[in-house]
Amino acid sequence: MILNIDVHLEYQLSRPTDLLLQIEAAHLPDQPVQNAQIDFSDVSDFARVAADEGVGDRIWLRADGLFRCDYRAEVRIDRASLDLSLLDAVPPHRLPGDTVRYLMPSRYCPSDEFQTFVAAEFGHLSGGAQITAMRDWIERSFQYVPGVSNAQTTALDSFVQRQGICRDYAHVLVTLARAATIPARFASVFAPGVTPPDFHAVAEVYLDGGWHLVDPTGMGTSADIARIGVGADAANVAFLNIFGQAEFVAQSVSVTEA
C-alpha cells in the first residue's frame, strides 16, 4: 500500500522562537519513505536530531513572524496485519533492556492504578489475546468526542469519562497493557480514514519478540499506518513543541491511499 501524505502548519510568532518539529514519516524497513519534501518559511536555524528509539527525526528550528511548514511524502507500507490474539507475551525476566521503560507508569499513563481492574477484567487472558480484548473493550466502551480532553488529560481521566480522541484511546490501551506487564508505548502516526483528518495516535505493544501497532479507535490497522515517532506517552512525540508564545493560524493533514 502507498500512502500520500500532505501536511500544512501555520503559526504566528511574536518574536524569535525555538521550535521542535516531528511530523515526517519515519523511514523504516516496513515503511520506506519516497519522494519526501519538507519546506519552511524563513528560518534562521535548522538542525535534525534523532528521535526516541531511533524512530524518525526531530527538527530544531528558530523562526520569527509567520511560520509556515509544508510536508509531502509517499510512504509504502510493507507490513501485514497479524492476528494479535495468537502472539505470546514475553515473560518479564526475558524482556530486552530497551523495553523495560515501557512497563513503567508515565506522565499520562498511570498504569500502577489499573492493576486491580486489569486483573479482574482481563486476567483470564494472556499475551495478544489479552491485548485484543483490551482493544475491543476500549473501542466498544468509549465515545470518540473531539474537544473533551486537553493537554492535561491522563488515561485515568479518560477511563472515568469514557470518551476522548485518538490520543486518549491510545493512552488508555498503553496503560492497561503496562498494568498487565506487557510493554506498551505511544505512537504518533499517519493513517488514511481518520475522521476528522489529523495526526493520529495508536499504541504499540511488545509481543512475541517484536513491537506491534494497535489502534483502539478502530480507524486504522497495522497494514495502513505510517509511524512518525514513538515514546512513553504523548509528551514524548508531540508534532510541534514551541518554546515561546505562538498563535495558531492554520493546520491541515491529508492521508490518502494511492
Side-chain angles (χ1 to χ4, degrees), residues 27-157:
H27 187 73
L28 300 167
D30 62 355
Q31 55 171 66
V33 180
Q34 50 203 33
N35 300 323
Q37 180 176 340
I38 190 164
D39 298 305
F40 305 100
S41 53
D42 290 340
V43 297
S44 58
D45 290 272
F46 174 98
R48 287 188 177 274
V49 294
D52 286 3
E53 305 297 341
V55 178
D57 290 339
R58 294 186 176 104
I59 299 175
W60 275 115
L61 302 163
R62 188 165 177 82
D64 193 8
L66 184 62
F67 169 74
R68 293 188 302 273
C69 171
D70 289 286
Y71 170 64
R72 297 179 182 84
E74 294 179 3
V75 182
R76 188 174 78 245
I77 308 299
D78 293 331
R79 186 189 313 117
S81 287
L82 300 177
D83 185 349
L84 286 180
S85 66
L86 302 178
L87 302 181
D88 293 327
V90 178
H93 64 280
R94 294 183 179 173
L95 286 169
D98 59 357
T99 68
V100 172
R101 65 178 292 216
Y102 299 112
L103 286 175
M104 310 303 180
S106 60
R107 176 177 174 181
Y108 294 114
C109 301
S111 51
D112 52 336
E113 300 186 39
F114 283 81
Q115 291 171 349
T116 300
F117 171 78
V118 166
E121 294 294 322
F122 307 106
H124 62 292
L125 300 168
S126 64
Q130 196 173 44
I131 294 296
T132 299
M134 292 171 178
R135 178 200 64 196
D136 293 347
W137 178 82
I138 295 169
E139 185 178 353
R140 181 176 65 250
S141 303
F142 283 56
Q143 290 184 303
Y144 197 93
V145 183
V148 299
S149 58
N150 55 42
Q152 282 71 51
T153 301
T154 69
L156 181 57
D157 299 323

